[in-house]
Amino acid sequence: MTTPRRRIPVPALAVAAVGLALSAVVVVGGDSHSSFVRSFNDLAQLAAAAAAALTAGHAALRSSGRARWMWLAVAVGCAGWAAGESVWSWYELARGIDTPFPSLADIGFLLFPAAAGVALLLHPARGGRLTRSRRALDATLATSALALVSWETALGAVVSAGGDSRFALGVALAYPLSDFLLLVLIVLTFSRASGSRAQLALLAAGMAALSVSDSGFAYLTSNGTYDGGAIDLGWITGFVLIALAPLVRTPEEEASQTGKQPEAVTVLPYLSVAVAGAVTAARMLTGHPPTRGQTALSGAVVLLILVRQYLTLRENAALVGELAVREAQLRHQAFHDALTGLANRGLFQDRLGHALDLHGRDLRAVSVLFLDLDDFKVINDTLGHAAGDELLVRISERLLAAVRTGDTVARLGGDEFAILLEDGGDPLTVAASVELALRPAFVLDGSAVKVGASIGLVAVEPSDTATTADALLAKADTAMYTAKRSGKGQLRVFEEGMSLTELSDQRMGTALAHAVETGGLTLDYQPVVNLDTGQVEGLEALARWTHDGRVVPPSEFIPVAERTGVIGALTEWALDEACRRVAGWSRGHKQLLQISVNVSPPQITDPGFVATVTAVLARHRLRRGQLVLEITESSLLTDVVLARGVIAELRDAGVRIALDDFGVGFSSLSQLHAIELDIVKIDRSFIDQLDTDPRQVRFLRSLLRLGGDLGLQVVGEGVERQAQLDLLRELGCRLVQGYLLARPMPPDEVPAAIAGQSFAALS
Ligand code: C2E
Ligand code: MG
Ligand code: MG
């Protein structure tokens, strides 16, 4: 559907057209001395002005805000003029004498330009792109040019004709002066107007017709040649146009939108200069050489035009520059990730395609690393999206720092990143440096957050000439997925035969379930050593599985057990087995020997879990405080309220709760207050850099202090070097677990370990 064009109601147009045509015939064509023509002329002017006052008044009633005041001003001006014309007609027609000058009529007539000027000032202006200086120049230009015209015609003539009195001259001068000012206003308003241009055009044209007639009248009167005719028709026409202006129907939205400035409008200031030039030329040809003042003014006008041109040029140059910058921005936006500024998927695929083309030509090496962050969703859910976004930005910074120049790092979406390596070199080295770069914790909102990534790697073989970007990316994705399924923080190189099907999961899950049932799983035990006494404080039970002759690491089969639902049976078995063993080892042991069992996150809130645990405790007659359940932070997240309740029940039953892998997740020290815990186990990755990174030392010191305040035991996990142990001891960490002291061992080696022989590292 097309919007209807602006229209003036047909009857109004018809009346206007007939009236004007009649006026043209009678006023211009008729004998100006006949009383009929004079009467017709006066009444036609009166009628036109009154009609304009009426339509404008009606428009004022209908509109609101600025527009209402504008139409009101137009109505007042027209009504004033109509009143003046009534006085004039009364002298001329009723009393049959020439209207004296000045008279009351002049008050009404002069009210018009004043009110019209106010109306123009009230007309809504467009902000526009024009600079302030150019706008000021346009104003000066139009003013100067029109001043020149006015002076050479009406104003000059009126001044040189003089008047009967100063007052009479003043009134006489008021006409051309106010006309001149009104014309300037018309030019300026029209060149920067917003809203309905058709309305303003009619209004401005009407006012202009009136101003020109007015000045013409002043000019002709001053040299005694005024004889009605065309001048009077100008007045009638002017008011008819003004009367039509409020009748223009404008669709609402069109009236409110700030439309594009039509070419013709920008030309208006020049138009006034052209008129000035024409008038000057005509005056010179008719033997009126310009005065000095006029010459100076003309010179000024020329100068102003030059300055305006210069400013326009400069503005255009600036505009071109702006456009170029904007275009570059848009191009960047199209190819880059808005959050991190990395390449986006589109650009990555483009570069990869290009690299594969080159590979087809010269067999150069091309590899792709596909990264997916581990547990990013958990971070997002706990710390909030703002923190999640910040984390992504920091990660991308580290990735960029880890790769070589020439490698492309892209964010493919969410927490997925890809790196294109096309400069040769060993992709495994880059993968290792990426992994290393992500290792230090990120500090977000005062929380230390550790983020791992599962990485898939695919390298194009020299024989592989026909592969596509999509195919390669899919292989990298598959390798990443395989890495993720075999536990977190892993790297897998793509191999043919890797697939995304759940088939292998199912097969492994079934085998695992079978192993749990038939005693195919075993538990190794790793001592937790008390540094004060040098004795074994407790043991952590760690599941072991050998499947098809291969030792499957827990990082691989525990996730499978979780995904296939075997984990419930596995934990139940581990609990029973570990408690049975520790009950045996405790006989004849002086201290309380603790046993730690790992519990997978969703299990803690499993209905019946508490019952299972208490049954095991009863079955093997464990003492209060002897069983420790190790949970990770993510167990507390699924349903905090529920988890808290379960933890409280377990603690009532004499079970102690250890927060495992502390420092890997997202909890800050302050969050520890919220959960009822007994033990915090600091993750190996934190202990890892203890002897090289002073920040880790500071973190551990405050954690130990807080642990002390809260009555928490702190265990340092994964201690491999003597320097780490010494530091931990110095910081006051009493409990330690790690290869340096003892590796996880089969049950038959445990009695010797707990018998009290001292550990080499402690001596
Ligand atoms: P975790 O509970 O944090 O267990 C500690 C892990 O660190 C064990 O790995 C242990 O062998 C290893 N470790 C101990 N000292 C050192 C050291 O000095 N250096 C290094 N590099 N590693 C050390 P493991 O046995 O491979 O177990 C891995 C994870 O699998 C465990 O992490 C635990 O989350 C899970 N897991 C093991 N057994 C079970 C189980 O029975 N049930 C459940 N739900 N999870 C289990
Ligand atoms: Mg553990
Ligand atoms: Mg741990």
Side-chain angles (χ1 to χ4, degrees):
M1 210 186 83
T2 55
T3 37
R5 279 186 57 78
R6 304 187 187 91
R7 282 257 178 71
I8 299 174
V10 177
L13 262 186
V15 169
V18 171
L20 276 179
L22 214 62
S23 304
V25 172
V26 177
V27 175
V28 183
D31 172 11
S32 62
H33 298 291
S34 92
S35 71
F36 167 72
V37 171
R38 291 182 72 157
S39 309
F40 181 94
N41 189 350
D42 284 345
L43 291 178
Q45 291 181 38
L46 183 59
L54 282 178
T55 57
H58 185 241
L61 287 180
R62 267 186 331 186
S63 45
S64 59
R66 249 175 114 101
R68 161 169 261 167
W69 290 108
M70 182 192 84
W71 287 121
L72 191 65
V74 173
V76 166
C78 295
W81 203 95
E85 180 60 27
S86 306
V87 174
W88 178 284
S89 305
W90 179 72
Y91 278 116
E92 254 196 1
L93 305 179
R95 298 194 45 194
I97 56 170
D98 274 355
T99 311
F101 181 84
S103 74
L104 275 179
D106 294 302
I107 297 179
F109 290 147
L110 284 172
L111 189 59
F112 177 78
V118 170
L120 288 177
L121 290 175
L122 285 170
H123 193 272
R126 227 163 34 94
R129 268 206 339 267
L130 283 188
T131 57
R132 199 179 285 263
S133 52
R134 228 180 85 182
R135 209 171 269 160
L137 258 182
D138 282 357
T140 322
L141 197 59
T143 311
S144 313
L146 291 172
L148 211 53
V149 176
S150 183
W151 183 258
E152 298 205 14
T153 56
L155 203 55
V158 172
V159 169
S160 54
D164 299 343
S165 65
R166 277 205 175 176
F167 179 64
L169 179 62
V171 174
L173 277 176
Y175 281 96
L177 261 180
S178 59
D179 294 338
F180 152 67
L181 287 175
L182 190 57
L183 278 172
V184 169
L185 266 179
I186 290 170
V187 168
L188 296 183
T189 308
F190 202 68
S191 60
R192 49 176 296 216
S194 76
S196 165
R197 206 169 279 285
Q199 268 185 354
L200 182 64
L202 280 175
L203 209 53
M207 289 178 184
L210 287 168
S211 295
V212 170
S213 307
D214 226 35
S215 285
F217 171 74
Y219 175 69
L220 295 176
T221 308
S222 70
N223 55 27
T225 53
Y226 169 65
D227 193 20
I231 295 283
D232 290 10
L233 187 63
W235 274 314
I236 299 173
T237 312
F239 280 116
V240 166
L241 291 177
I242 293 176
L244 289 177
L247 302 179
V248 175
R249 272 203 299 253
T250 324
E252 278 296 316
E253 73 280 10
E254 209 177 324
S256 62
Q257 86 194 2
T258 53
K260 221 178 73 197
Q261 205 173 24
E263 211 39 49
V265 165
T266 56
V267 128
L268 270 178
Y270 292 111
L271 194 67
S272 49
V273 173
V275 171
V279 170
T280 311
R283 297 272 297 164
M284 275 166 73
L285 287 177
T286 53
H288 298 87
T291 62
R292 262 209 218 142
Q294 285 167 355
T295 314
L297 200 52
S298 311
V301 166
V302 171
L303 198 71
L304 284 172
I305 291 181
L306 290 178
V307 173
R308 191 183 191 275
Q309 281 320 98
Y310 171 70
L311 280 183
T312 309
L313 276 181
R314 250 189 30 184
E315 241 171 51
N316 287 351
L319 208 64
V320 167
E322 227 172 77
L323 282 177
V325 169
R326 185 82 197 113
E327 199 188 310
Q329 278 173 349
L330 284 176
R331 205 172 319 127
H332 189 270
Q333 267 170 26
F335 290 115
H336 290 82
D337 173 48
L339 178 65
T340 60
L342 295 179
N344 64 12
R345 188 181 281 271
L347 181 58
F348 188 82
Q349 277 172 325
D350 194 59
R351 295 233 175 120
L352 180 54
H354 186 65
L356 289 174
D357 287 347
L358 293 177
H359 169 83
R361 209 177 298 160
D362 58 14
L363 296 185
R364 70 179 56 192
V366 177
S367 343
V368 172
L369 285 173
F370 197 114
L371 272 90
D372 187 286
L373 303 182
D374 296 329
D375 296 325
F376 179 70
K377 192 182 169 319
V378 176
I379 293 168
N380 235 356
D381 291 350
T382 32
L383 293 183
H385 285 264
D389 282 356
E390 197 191 330
L391 182 63
L392 289 172
V393 172
R394 305 269 208 82
I395 284 175
S396 51
E397 287 164 3
R398 288 201 194 170
L399 290 180
L400 280 174
V403 301
R404 308 153 308 174
T405 40
D407 296 340
T408 302
V409 181
R411 178 168 170 234
L412 302 182
D415 60 348
E416 284 180 354
F417 296 86
I419 302 173
L420 169 64
L421 313 170
E422 47 180 325
D423 279 357
D426 181 11
L428 281 173
T429 314
V430 179
S433 74
V434 163
E435 206 216 334
L436 202 70
L438 293 182
R439 217 179 270 174
F442 295 86
V443 179
L444 292 179
D445 265 354
S447 305
V449 178
K450 297 221 87 181
V451 183
S454 301
I455 306 179
L457 167 63
V458 62
V460 184
E461 302 299 321
S463 59
D464 214 0
T465 46
T467 189
T468 65
D470 279 342
L472 205 65
L473 209 52
K475 283 180 179 176
D477 191 3
T478 303
M480 182 282 295
Y481 201 76
T482 312
K484 183 140 286 197
R485 289 199 315 173
S486 55
K488 290 159 187 169
Q490 311 253 339
L491 168 76
R492 283 285 184 284
V493 181
F494 178 79
E495 296 159 19
E496 292 302 333
M498 270 185 177
S499 77
L500 291 178
T501 59
E502 296 298 304
L503 205 69
S504 66
D505 240 22
Q506 282 309 326
R507 214 180 288 144
M508 202 182 207
T510 312
L512 194 57
H514 184 72
V516 172
E517 271 165 36
T518 57
L521 284 179
T522 57
L523 288 176
D524 270 3
Y525 299 88
Q526 187 177 31
V528 178
V529 178
N530 186 324
L531 294 183
D532 288 348
T533 63
Q535 300 291 311
V536 173
E537 185 101 355
L539 300 149
E540 177 174 5
L542 295 160
R544 298 290 178 255
W545 185 36
T546 306
H547 175 50
D548 278 352
R550 175 173 83 99
V551 176
V552 186
S555 58
E556 191 171 328
F557 69 78
I558 296 291
V560 174
E562 286 171 357
R563 286 196 295 266
T564 54
V566 180
I567 193 72
L570 191 151
T571 305
E572 208 172 325
W573 164 80
L575 265 172
D576 189 67
E577 171 67 10
C579 290
R580 185 179 68 82
R581 290 286 191 180
V582 85
W585 296 324
S586 291
R587 271 177 228 123
H589 194 75
K590 290 182 286 300
Q591 282 90 25
L592 179 80
L593 189 62
Q594 293 170 19
I595 182 75
S596 302
V597 178
N598 292 285
V599 179
S600 285
Q603 281 188 284
I604 189 105
T605 50
D606 248 14
F609 181 69
V610 177
T612 307
V613 174
T614 47
V616 169
L617 288 177
R619 191 178 312 141
H620 304 291
R621 296 181 207 205
L622 255 54
R623 290 157 57 187
R624 287 187 73 82
Q626 200 167 9
L627 176 64
V628 177
L629 293 183
E630 295 196 359
I631 60 172
T632 55
E633 286 150 291
S634 43
S635 349
L636 306 166
L637 291 173
T638 33
D639 185 340
V640 185
V641 181
L642 192 59
R644 273 209 212 163
V646 173
I647 287 173
E649 276 183 66
L650 288 168
R651 293 181 84 233
D652 280 348
V655 177
R656 303 206 301 152
I657 305 293
L659 188 63
D660 204 358
D661 303 344
F662 183 79
V664 170
F666 34 80
S667 37
S668 61
L669 296 179
S670 56
Q671 278 174 307
L672 287 180
H673 288 279
I675 318 159
E676 278 190 282
L677 296 169
D678 302 281
I679 301 163
V680 176
K681 299 187 78 171
I682 302 166
D683 189 65
R684 180 159 55 89
S685 56
F686 254 96
I687 306 291
D688 212 21
Q689 291 148 43
L690 201 57
D691 45 351
T692 53
D693 189 347
R695 280 175 309 177
Q696 312 275 18
V697 175
R698 275 201 299 277
F699 172 79
L700 202 62
R701 182 176 289 129
S702 34
L703 179 60
L704 283 161
R705 190 175 310 135
L706 185 75
D709 289 349
L710 296 174
L712 285 174
Q713 286 187 344
V714 178
V715 180
E717 266 194 292
V719 177
E720 294 178 343
R721 294 186 296 277
Q722 187 70 45
Q724 296 170 326
L725 184 78
D726 294 343
L727 248 171
L728 281 169
R729 205 205 304 247
E730 198 184 304
L731 289 172
C733 180
R734 286 176 50 245
L735 299 170
V736 168
Q737 187 180 349
Y739 290 173
L740 181 68
L741 296 164
R743 290 190 171 248
M745 57 188 78
D748 52 332
E749 290 176 20
V750 172
I754 61 176
Q757 111 268 33
S758 66
F759 294 88
L762 296 180
S763 53

